[in-house]
């Protein structure tokens, strides 16, 4: 069936029934829900139908549903619903969610939240439920590192609605998936350059092994060291919170600072950096005099006993841009796919003040 023939068929269904759902039309015509949504958007743009949550209705039915005293369901007047899938229990993501909420509120978009599970199958099931419930598009922050890279990249492309990855990078197998994310490699480079400007020629990296941002932070850290001719390392891998491994890197780094082997460090994330400051102080070591610290995230960095210089990813802006990208995709299905990287900023505070001119040693 040609595109115009299919749209004529949809128009006849709407004229006969008053209201149709995307799911029913897709089943009757033997096409995907994505195709039907595109057809409905085109027909609505020509004023031939009115888009509603999960389908379309005739202009006359819509007029009756919105007339004074009408008892039509509120859903009949709602244009767009987005599903948002976020990881469980992490202090990093609330700001991104607030950015999504702010943009959705501004544009009259409804957002339905779901929390991703521990496995790829659970993540896919959450997405499937949102689509089945009528989501026009999905904003996904799937948990990273839980499955092999291939399947983890491929599954969002198989969904029947447009997808925007939020603070995640689309891999080579992601298909027609868009992304908006913080440029974490650039942010790590800001930290290294700042410490180098203070005179530090050797900068340590301490980063969480389970964070999806760690590979990008490490990439930016190593690239900046190479560009500046600095000696990279040592590197400290911060393990899972549970178990004795979570404290081993603290002891190792504190010993290195006490011996004068490490004078500057980029630490990911804020909570670990704040803990590190306390342990250094307990050993009679000072920040920034004995160790210049830049932390990554800037969620609670300013609340440390020594306020911490921090790289601040633009989390709220990432959420807002995700909504804008999705609205554009729904309005213009054939527009070029977008991959947006938003640059973090460096917020300088007391913890990185060490250097040759203020008591620190490079």
């Amino acid at each position: 069936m040609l595109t115009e023939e299919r749209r004529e068929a949809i128009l006849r269904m709407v004229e006969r029934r008053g209201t149709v759902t995307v799911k029913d039309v897709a089943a009757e015509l033997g096409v995907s829900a994505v195709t039907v949504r595109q057809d409905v958007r085109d027909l609505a743009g020509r004023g031939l139908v009115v888009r509603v949550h999960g389908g379309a209705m005739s202009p006359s039915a819509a007029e009756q549903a919105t007339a004074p005293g009408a008892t039509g369901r509120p859903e009949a007047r709602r244009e767009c619903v987005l599903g948002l899938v976020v990881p469980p229990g992490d202090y990093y993501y609330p700001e991104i969610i607030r950015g999504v909420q702010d943009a959705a509120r501004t544009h009259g978009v409804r957002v339905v939240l779901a929390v991703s599970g521990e496995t790829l199958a659970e993540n896919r099931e959450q997405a499937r439920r949102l689509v089945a419930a009528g989501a026009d598009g999905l904003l996904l922050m799937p948990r990273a590192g839980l499955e092999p890279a291939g399947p983890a990249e491929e599954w969002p492309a198989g969904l029947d609605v447009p997808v925007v990855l939020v603070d995640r990078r689309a891999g080579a197998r992601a298909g027609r998936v868009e992304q908006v994310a913080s440029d974490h490699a650039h942010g790590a480079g800001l930290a290294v350059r700042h410490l180098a400007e203070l005179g530090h020629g050797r900068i340590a990296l301490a980063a969480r092994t389970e964070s999806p941002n760690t590979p990008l932070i490490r990439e930016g850290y190593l690239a900046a060291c190479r560009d500046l001719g600095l000696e990279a390392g040592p590197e400290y891998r911060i393990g899972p919170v549970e178990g004795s491994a979570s404290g081993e890197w603290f002891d190792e780094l504190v010993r290195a600072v006490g011996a004068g082997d490490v004078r500057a460090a980029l630490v990911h994330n804020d909570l670990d950096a704040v803990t590190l400051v306390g342990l250094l102080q307990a050993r009679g070591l000072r920040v920034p005099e004995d160790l210049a610290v830049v932390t990554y995230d800037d969620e609670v960095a300013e609340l440390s006993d020594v306020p911490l210089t921090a790289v601040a990813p633009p989390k709220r802006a990432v959420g807002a841009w995700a909504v804008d990208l999705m609205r554009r995709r729904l309005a213009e299905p054939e527009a070029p796919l977008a991959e947006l990287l938003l640059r973090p900023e460096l917020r300088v505070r007391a913890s990185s003040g060490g250097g040759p001119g203020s008591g620190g040693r490079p």
Side-chain angles (χ1 to χ4, degrees):
M1 183 180 290
L2 298 176
T3 299
E4 283 306 316
E5 293 175 341
R6 189 177 61 247
R7 290 174 180 173
E8 284 292 333
I10 294 172
L11 190 57
R12 289 193 296 271
M13 291 181 193
V14 172
E15 289 172 347
R16 287 197 308 269
R17 305 174 192 175
T19 303
V20 298
T21 67
V22 168
K23 182 178 179 181
D24 289 344
V25 172
E28 289 186 39
L29 298 183
V31 297
S32 71
V34 171
T35 298
V36 175
R37 286 189 178 91
Q38 292 174 351
D39 291 339
V40 168
R41 281 191 288 271
D42 177 82
L43 294 170
R46 290 188 264 165
L48 300 176
V49 302
V50 176
R51 291 177 63 200
V52 298
H53 176 43
M57 63 171 29
S58 66
S60 59
E63 185 176 350
Q64 294 175 5
T66 57
T71 59
R73 295 178 303 166
E75 288 84 354
R77 297 186 291 274
R78 186 163 59 228
E79 182 178 355
C80 182
V81 176
L82 302 182
L84 173 62
V85 181
V86 302
D90 194 303
Y91 84 136
Y92 182 90
Y93 298 106
E95 274 296 290
I96 295 178
I97 296 171
R98 278 189 281 272
V100 170
Q101 287 177 304
D102 290 345
R105 192 176 299 114
T106 297
H107 297 295
V109 173
R110 182 186 173 212
V111 175
V112 179
L113 180 69
V115 179
S116 62
E118 295 290 333
T119 67
L120 177 58
E122 289 172 310
N123 285 320
R124 296 180 67 170
E125 179 61 16
Q126 290 283 24
R128 187 199 66 77
R129 288 176 182 174
L130 288 169
V131 173
D136 297 296
L138 293 177
L139 309 179
L140 299 183
M141 283 186 278
R143 294 195 69 181
L146 298 177
E147 303 285 345
E153 287 181 6
E154 290 170 357
W155 75 268
L159 296 167
D160 286 336
V161 296
V163 173
V164 174
L165 295 180
V166 185
D167 211 46
R168 297 288 185 270
R169 304 292 288 273
R173 307 182 189 183
R176 292 186 60 80
V177 169
E178 299 186 275
Q179 70 172 47
V180 56
S182 297
D183 190 344
H184 297 297
H186 178 82
L190 290 177
V192 171
R193 285 176 170 80
H194 173 68
L195 291 168
E197 288 170 0
L198 293 173
H200 295 284
R202 184 168 181 259
I203 299 164
L205 173 66
R208 288 214 152 262
T209 57
E210 77 274 16
S211 169
N213 299 331
T214 293
L216 296 169
I217 292 171
R218 186 174 187 272
E219 174 188 313
Y221 159 81
L222 292 174
C225 288
R226 286 194 303 268
D227 292 345
L228 297 171
L230 304 180
E231 179 185 352
E235 292 189 36
Y236 299 89
R237 303 296 178 90
I238 307 173
V241 174
E242 298 82 6
S244 60
S246 63
E248 291 176 359
W249 79 273
F250 286 115
D251 293 334
E252 186 179 352
L253 180 51
V254 169
R255 286 195 299 269
V257 173
D261 296 331
V262 174
R263 311 302 304 173
L266 167 60
V267 181
H268 175 230
N269 54 39
D270 288 2
L271 296 178
D272 293 311
V274 170
T275 300
L276 175 62
V277 170
L279 291 173
L280 290 168
Q281 291 174 334
R283 307 281 180 89
L285 299 168
R286 297 175 298 167
V287 174
E289 290 83 1
D290 296 301
L291 181 69
V293 176
V294 176
T295 185
Y296 200 100
D297 277 354
D298 202 32
E299 285 291 338
V300 295
E302 196 171 13
L303 302 180
S304 173
D305 183 48
V306 179
L308 300 174
T309 292
V311 176
K315 295 182 281 289
R316 189 170 292 213
V318 165
W321 271 100
V323 174
D324 288 345
L325 266 186
M326 181 59 72
R327 291 179 63 247
R328 173 179 172 274
R329 175 59 45 202
L330 293 171
E332 303 176 53
E334 303 307 319
L337 296 172
E339 295 183 358
L340 298 182
L341 288 179
L342 307 185
R343 290 187 171 179
E345 64 174 302
L346 182 73
R347 296 173 181 168
V348 179
R349 303 186 182 103
S351 70
S352 63
S358 58
R361 291 171 293 185

